[in-house]
Amino acid sequence: MKNFFSKKSWASYVMLGVAVLAIVALIVSALSAKNSAAADDLETYAIGDIGGIIAMDVVAIVLAVAVFVIDGMFTGKLFSIVLDVCRFAAAALLIASMALMISAMELPMGYIWFSDLEAGNDVLIAGLNQAVASWALYLVAAIADVVSMSKSLCIKKAAQATDAAA
């Protein structure tokens, strides 16, 4: 087990953090969807695409955990490309989840932030606050994912510098 963790790069630990952030963002998004749906009897503010958001989050979490588990087990250029594709796909899914959450909360944003029509609806305000928290979590997770992608770029630049010096 010690050998398993010693072979991991810093980027794989970052991806583990991305998975944790994505899990927290998923939970916060689900709470936001629950509060938004409960804000009125007609479910006017309900997040209609919460199933798609959950599906994209789960795939991003699986990809992030897979990168953590697999990184260090195999070597080679093809394997490095596969890990980079998994990292890129996870970042794209997290950004798409954030975009869907933003678009799902357009009506509550307009009614609360820009017109005060629902200023007294505490449940909807809580749902919007949770949505903003989920946006921030998605953004931080996606940025951390992009930072972990720089691992392969740093290695390539170091190899090029070594080749140029020789």
Side-chain angles (χ1 to χ4, degrees), residues 72-92:
M73 290 181 154
F74 307 104
T75 58
K77 194 171 194 174
L78 179 64
F79 181 70
S80 176
I81 291 170
V82 169
L83 285 179
D84 285 344
V85 167
C86 288
R87 286 184 178 106
F88 180 78

Side-chain angles (χ1 to χ4, degrees), residues 17-140:
V18 166
V20 171
L21 284 171
I23 290 169
V24 174
L26 176 63
I27 292 168
V28 174
S29 295
L31 290 173
S32 174
K34 178 183 165 273
N35 281 336
S36 297
D40 66 339
D41 293 334
L42 302 175
E43 294 191 7
T44 307
Y45 308 114
I47 298 174
D49 201 18
I50 192 66
I53 293 168
I54 290 171
M56 286 189 296
D57 282 351
V58 168
V59 172
I61 291 165
V62 167
L63 287 171
V65 170
V67 168
F68 174 75
V69 170
I70 296 171
D71 190 27
M73 290 181 154
F74 307 104
T75 58
K77 194 171 194 174
L78 179 64
F79 181 70
S80 176
I81 291 170
V82 169
L83 285 179
D84 285 344
V85 167
C86 288
R87 286 184 178 106
F88 180 78
L93 289 168
L94 290 169
I95 291 170
S97 295
M98 182 181 74
L100 282 176
M101 278 299 293
I102 290 171
S103 68
M105 297 304 286
E106 287 174 346
L107 190 62
M109 280 189 290
Y111 284 166
I112 293 172
W113 289 347
F114 304 118
S115 70
D116 287 339
L117 290 174
E118 289 285 347
N121 192 339
D122 293 335
V123 177
L124 185 60
I125 291 171
L128 184 57
N129 290 340
Q130 291 163 340
V132 171
S134 73
W135 303 342
L137 288 166
Y138 285 129
L139 184 62
V140 170

